[in-house]
Amino acid sequence: MKIRFFLGLFVGMLLGLGTTSMAQNDVYLFSSFRDNGQDGLHLAYSYDGYNWTALKKDSSFLRPTVSKDKLMRDPCILKGPDGYFHMVWTVSWNDLGIGYARSKDLVHWSEQQFIPVMAHEPTALNCWAPEINYDAKTKEYLIYWATTIPDRFPSTEGGKGDGKYNHRMYSTTTKDFKTFTPTRLFYDPGFNVIDVSIFQVSKKKYAMIMKDETKNPVKKNLKLALSKHLNSGFSPASEPISKLDWIEGPTVTKIGEDWVVYFDQYTRHKMGALKSKDLKNWIDISEEVHFPKGTRHGTVFKASKADVEFLLKQ
């Protein structure tokens, strides 16, 4: 296993893909799910951000235990300043909360928690695709997700939603994953929106990639918004950044000088990707990225060489 690891690392460095934007010992990891999310967390690794290999023979690292449906869809993992990998996920198609667990090594996990983030809205239909960021200024974790509350945004109900769904983004913050601030409306772009992923562009600039979930007329594409702050002030959504539609689950990393957005081509049953140097001009590189078969909506993040060596032994 060690020979395979160092050979791959050497090839990635030789190609010059992704090494300039990463710490010397960092490796790309990708969390995802299979099928309907019933068997839990899957992980893959890459040295260049383009070629991904499943870990643990593509079997689950953590099986879901919370909510009546016991699903683990859309797993989002962030390594916090406390040294823990923190994960949130979709537990059900129609529950009013999300899942949470943490781990030091991505193998041994804490007891799973159900966080009832929308329990105060009894008519809400769901909590989909939560993501997590850390705000170094406030020393808080920001968690955000998509929810439909019927009749809450009537101007885009009906023909501009998707059936009974008309999502907006909601959020909460926490310092310890024990107490949480009251849920608030986080982002309303004026249309049915899901699958938001936020990343820091510079010291005073954040970007948000989102899915326009409008079905009539069909949008189902990715758009971008900008802000000077992590948790507020995002601009109106841009025009689509991709010519493709029926895509979702964007997640972003930096490879060399390029911002790379991976996404789930869920009707085509494969992953895709875009790259840009300036967040304005985008190139589709879907044919250049290679993921394990069946990879669905997840998150790209970085781990140390030691972390990945441990995962390769599982």
Side-chain angles (χ1 to χ4, degrees):
M1 285 297 187
K2 288 186 177 180
I3 292 174
R4 180 184 179 190
F5 181 90
F6 286 111
L7 178 61
L9 183 59
F10 173 75
V11 171
M13 292 175 67
L14 185 64
L15 292 174
L17 295 173
T19 56
T20 59
S21 62
M22 300 175 68
Q24 186 176 358
N25 293 325
D26 281 351
V27 182
Y28 297 100
L29 288 179
F30 198 92
S31 61
S32 64
F33 71 100
R34 301 290 181 270
D35 193 29
N36 195 34
Q38 64 270 28
D39 81 330
L41 173 66
H42 287 249
L43 294 173
Y45 71 100
S46 175
Y47 305 114
D48 61 13
Y50 283 70
N51 299 287
W52 295 86
T53 302
L55 287 158
K56 203 179 176 183
K57 298 181 179 179
D58 208 21
S59 60
S60 176
F61 278 82
L62 181 66
R63 292 185 173 272
T65 61
V66 296
S67 93
K68 60 182 182 297
D69 291 337
K70 292 183 173 61
L71 299 180
M72 190 173 283
R73 298 172 60 87
D74 323 316
C76 176
I77 295 177
L78 171 78
K79 190 169 188 179
D82 56 2
Y84 282 97
F85 292 97
H86 298 274
M87 179 170 68
V88 292
W89 67 90
T90 304
V91 299
S92 167
W93 286 94
N94 52 18
D95 215 327
L96 301 187
I98 61 175
Y100 167 75
R102 72 178 188 175
S103 173
K104 280 285 190 178
D105 58 15
L106 297 168
V107 174
H108 304 95
W109 290 86
S110 66
E111 181 179 356
Q112 296 173 39
Q113 297 179 37
F114 177 81
I115 307 173
V117 290
M118 295 304 293
H120 63 292
E121 293 280 3
T123 65
L125 300 183
N126 58 348
C127 295
W128 284 1
E131 294 234 354
I132 183 171
N133 290 74
Y134 182 72
D135 190 335
K137 294 180 180 179
T138 62
K139 295 181 171 56
E140 293 178 321
Y141 293 91
L142 171 69
I143 306 171
Y144 45 97
W145 63 92
T147 288
T148 287
I149 304 175
D151 303 318
R152 187 60 55 90
F153 299 94
S155 63
T156 52
E157 291 283 1
K160 294 184 179 180
D162 186 347
K164 64 182 179 180
Y165 294 109
N166 185 27
H167 300 89
R168 296 300 186 273
M169 299 304 302
Y170 294 83
S171 72
T172 184
T173 60
T174 182
K175 291 180 180 291
D176 55 11
F177 296 95
K178 296 177 181 178
T179 59
F180 300 84
T181 57
T183 293
R184 68 182 180 94
L185 179 64
F186 181 68
Y187 185 65
D188 173 15
F191 54 77
N192 185 11
V193 60
I194 64 171
D195 294 0
V196 160
S197 185
I198 300 172
F199 58 101
Q200 189 167 4
V201 179
S202 63
K203 188 174 181 180
K204 295 184 178 180
K205 186 177 182 180
Y206 292 85
M208 169 195 293
I209 304 287
M210 73 195 82
K211 180 190 180 184
D212 183 341
E213 183 70 333
T214 303
K215 188 175 182 179
N216 185 20
V218 171
K219 302 295 184 182
K220 306 289 185 177
N221 52 35
L222 303 182
K223 296 180 176 179
L224 182 143
L226 299 172
S227 177
K228 294 180 181 179
H229 309 283
L230 171 62
N231 59 5
S232 63
F234 281 91
S235 65
S238 69
E239 292 299 311
I241 64 174
S242 171
K243 294 181 180 179
L244 290 174
D245 53 19
W246 296 96
I247 58 179
E248 64 185 17
T251 182
V252 187
T253 194
K254 194 79 176 289
I255 301 178
E257 296 181 354
D258 296 320
W259 292 104
V260 175
V261 179
Y262 307 101
F263 53 84
D264 185 349
Q265 302 187 62
Y266 60 104
T267 62
R268 305 173 187 93
H269 308 292
K270 61 181 181 179
M271 295 293 290
L274 300 164
K275 72 176 182 179
S276 174
K277 286 181 169 55
D278 58 9
L279 302 181
K280 296 178 181 178
N281 301 289
W282 294 89
I283 300 171
D284 192 296
I285 55 170
S286 295
E287 298 305 314
E288 300 177 39
V289 297
H290 306 283
F291 281 84
K293 184 178 179 180
T295 298
R296 301 193 63 191
H297 187 153
T299 305
V300 60
F301 59 106
K302 296 172 185 175
S304 69
K305 181 176 64 177
D307 288 329
V308 177
E309 283 185 301
F310 180 69
L311 293 173
L312 285 166
K313 297 175 182 177
Q314 305 306 310

